[in-house]
C-alpha cells in the first residue's frame, strides 16, 4: 500500500509560528510533500493567511481580520507569540503561491466560513490562481459544501476536498460531485476506521487532519489514507518510515 503524502498543516507549525513564511520554508526543508493554509479576506479584499476570525491568538494585534485593511493588518507581529517565535510579518497568499511555484509540492488552500464576504473569497482565490498560472499544484478545501461547489463551478480543473468534522449525511462514503477527496478529522477515523474504505469504494481518496501522534500516524498508514496533514512534518515522516519497517 502507498505511504500517505505528508502535508504540513499551517506550515511546520509545531516548530514555527503557523502561517508565517518561516513555517512553510521549514516544512519544505523537512521534505513535506504538501503545504496547508487557511485564507481570509481583509476589508479591502486582499487574501491573507490567517486561521482564526480574529487576530488575538496569532499576533500582537486585536480585532477581526475582515474588518481591517491589509495595511492595518500588516502593522502587527505574527511570530513572537509562538514558543519558538521571532517577529514575523503577515503572510499574504501571493507570497505563498510564489514559494509554491518554485517547488513541486502541492498547496492545500482552505477557505474559512462563515465569513462576512461569503463566497467572495473563492472568487478571489480563483483570480489569484489564474494570475500565478497555478492549478496542478493546488487543492481547494472547505468545511462549507457551498464554498466547494462554488469554487468547482469557477475552476472545474482544480481538485477539491470536502472537509468533515463529523460524517453525518456523508457516512456512506459518497460525496457530492463537486468534491474529489474526503477530508475527515482523525477523530472521525478513530471512531469509524472503515470509513476510509467506504469512501474509496465510492471513488474518493482521503485527506486526514491533524495527524501528529504515533498512534494516529499508524492508523492512517494502515488504513491507506492518501494525505495526512501534520503540524510536525519531519516527525510524521519519520513515524511513517518507521511504521513501514514494522
Ligand atoms: O486541514 C484541514 C484542517 O486544517 C481543518 O481544521 O481548524 O485546523 O483549519 P482547522
Ligand atoms: Ca485549515
Amino acid at each position: 500500500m502507498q505511504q500517505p503524502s505528508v502535508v504540513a498543516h499551517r506550515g511546520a507549525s509545531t516548530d514555527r509560528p503557523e502561517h508565517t513564511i518561516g513555517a512553510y520554508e521549514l516544512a519544505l526543508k523537512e521534505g513535506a510533500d504538501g503545504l496547508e493554509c487557511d485564507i481570509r479576506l481583509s476589508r479591502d479584499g486582499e487574501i491573507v493567511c490567517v486561521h482564526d476570525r480574529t487576530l488575538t491568538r496569532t499576533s500582537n494585534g486585536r480585532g477581526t481580520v475582515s474588518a481591517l485593511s491589509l495595511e492595518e493588518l500588516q502593522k502587527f507581529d505574527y511570530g513572537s507569540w509562538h514558543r519558538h517565535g521571532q517577529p514575523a510579518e503577515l503572510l499574504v497568499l501571493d507570497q505563498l503561491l510564489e514559494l509554491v511555484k518554485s517547488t513541486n509540492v502541492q498547496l492545500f488552500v482552505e477557505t474559512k466560513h462563515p465569513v462576512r464576504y461569503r463566497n467572495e473569497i473563492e472568487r478571489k482565490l480563483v483570480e489569484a490562481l489564474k494570475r500565478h498560472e497555478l492549478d496542478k499544484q493546488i487543492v481547494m478545501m472547505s468545511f462549507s459544501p457551498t464554498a466547494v461547489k462554488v469554487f468547482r463551478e469557477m475552476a472545474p480543473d482544480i481538485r477539491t476536498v470536502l472537509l468533515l468534522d463529523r460524517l453525518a449525511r456523508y457516512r456512506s462514503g459518497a460525496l457530492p460531485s463537486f468534491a474529489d477527496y474526503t477530508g475527515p478529522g482523525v477523530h472521525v477515523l478513530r471512531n469509524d476506521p472503515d470509513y476510509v474504505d467506504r469512501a474509496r469504494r465510492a471513488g474518493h481518496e482521503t485527506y486526514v487532519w491533524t495527524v501528529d501522534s504515533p498512534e494516529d500516524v499508524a492508523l492512517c498508514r494502515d488504513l491507506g489514507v492518501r494525505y495526512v496533514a501534520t503540524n510536525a512534518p519531519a516527525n510524521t515522516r519519520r513515524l511513517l518510515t518507521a511504521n513501514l519497517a514494522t
Side-chain angles (χ1 to χ4, degrees), residues 9-10 36 38 51 110 112 141 143 163 207 209 229:
H9 186 246
R10 312 180 193 178
E36 188 261 5
D38 301 294
H51 177 274
E110 180 184 347
K112 284 301 189 193
M141 317 192 287
F143 286 101
L163 294 170
Y207 165 103
W209 50 278

Side-chain angles (χ1 to χ4, degrees), residues 7-21:
V7 178
H9 186 246
R10 312 180 193 178
S13 57
T14 294
D15 290 329
R16 294 288 184 277
E18 67 183 58
H19 293 117
T20 58
I21 202 72

Side-chain angles (χ1 to χ4, degrees), residues 1 41 80 127 129 172 186 238:
M1 201 180 278
L41 284 184
S80 300
E127 261 179 30
L129 298 177
S172 72
V186 70
R238 189 182 58 75

Side-chain angles (χ1 to χ4, degrees), residues 3-173:
Q3 206 182 122
S5 295
V6 174
V7 178
H9 186 246
R10 312 180 193 178
S13 57
T14 294
D15 290 329
R16 294 288 184 277
E18 67 183 58
H19 293 117
T20 58
I21 202 72
Y24 290 102
E25 285 170 348
L26 179 60
L28 294 175
K29 209 167 135 196
E30 291 186 0
D33 303 302
L35 307 175
E36 188 261 5
C37 73
D38 301 294
I39 59 169
R40 293 180 175 274
L41 284 184
S42 65
R43 190 182 68 217
D44 47 350
E46 298 295 332
I47 308 180
V48 298
C49 301
V50 180
H51 177 274
D52 298 0
R53 194 177 66 85
T54 65
L55 295 171
T56 317
R57 183 179 60 86
T58 57
S59 81
N60 61 355
R62 287 287 175 277
T64 305
V65 175
S66 62
L68 296 169
S69 67
L70 180 63
E71 198 184 335
E72 287 166 335
L73 290 167
Q74 283 173 325
K75 290 192 177 128
F76 303 123
D77 166 13
Y78 292 80
S80 300
W81 64 274
H82 190 270
R83 69 195 162 99
H84 301 304
Q86 292 182 347
E89 291 176 1
L90 172 75
L91 182 63
V92 296
L93 183 67
D94 278 329
Q95 275 175 281
L96 187 54
L97 294 179
E98 283 298 335
L99 180 67
V100 166
K101 265 199 303 200
S102 68
T103 71
N104 57 7
V105 304
Q106 300 184 69
L107 179 64
F108 292 74
V109 184
E110 180 184 347
T111 63
K112 284 301 189 193
H113 288 278
V115 282
R116 181 183 306 232
Y117 307 118
R118 302 206 175 168
N119 293 117
E120 186 65 3
I121 184 77
E122 283 76 31
R123 200 180 66 70
K124 292 270 187 179
L125 174 59
V126 171
E127 261 179 30
L129 298 177
K130 280 203 178 123
R131 209 166 50 242
H132 286 267
E133 296 182 346
L134 267 172
D135 52 12
K136 300 248 175 320
Q137 281 173 267
I138 303 296
V139 183
M140 181 272 178
M141 317 192 287
S142 189
F143 286 101
S144 159
T146 305
V148 181
K149 182 169 188 281
V150 165
F151 182 86
R152 169 52 55 89
E153 283 161 8
M154 289 187 287
D157 296 332
I158 297 182
R159 288 164 299 153
T160 57
V161 179
L162 180 61
L163 294 170
L164 302 173
D165 197 27
R166 56 201 176 88
L167 295 179
R169 77 181 104 146
Y170 304 113
R171 192 162 299 282
S172 72

Side-chain angles (χ1 to χ4, degrees), residues 178-240:
F178 51 77
D180 296 311
Y181 301 116
T182 183
V186 70
H187 56 282
V188 172
L189 300 192
R190 286 188 212 122
N191 291 330
D192 187 355
D194 187 51
Y195 173 69
V196 176
D197 258 349
R198 297 202 299 280
R200 188 179 293 116
R201 284 197 294 273
H204 306 290
E205 298 275 22
T206 307
Y207 165 103
V208 182
W209 50 278
T210 304
V211 183
D212 288 340
S213 73
E215 296 76 17
D216 287 343
V217 172
L219 176 69
C220 290
R221 188 280 313 262
D222 292 348
L223 293 174
V225 162
R226 178 75 186 83
Y227 298 101
V228 289
T230 173
N231 298 316
N235 194 51
T236 294
R237 173 84 71 206
R238 189 182 58 75
L239 291 167
L240 282 168

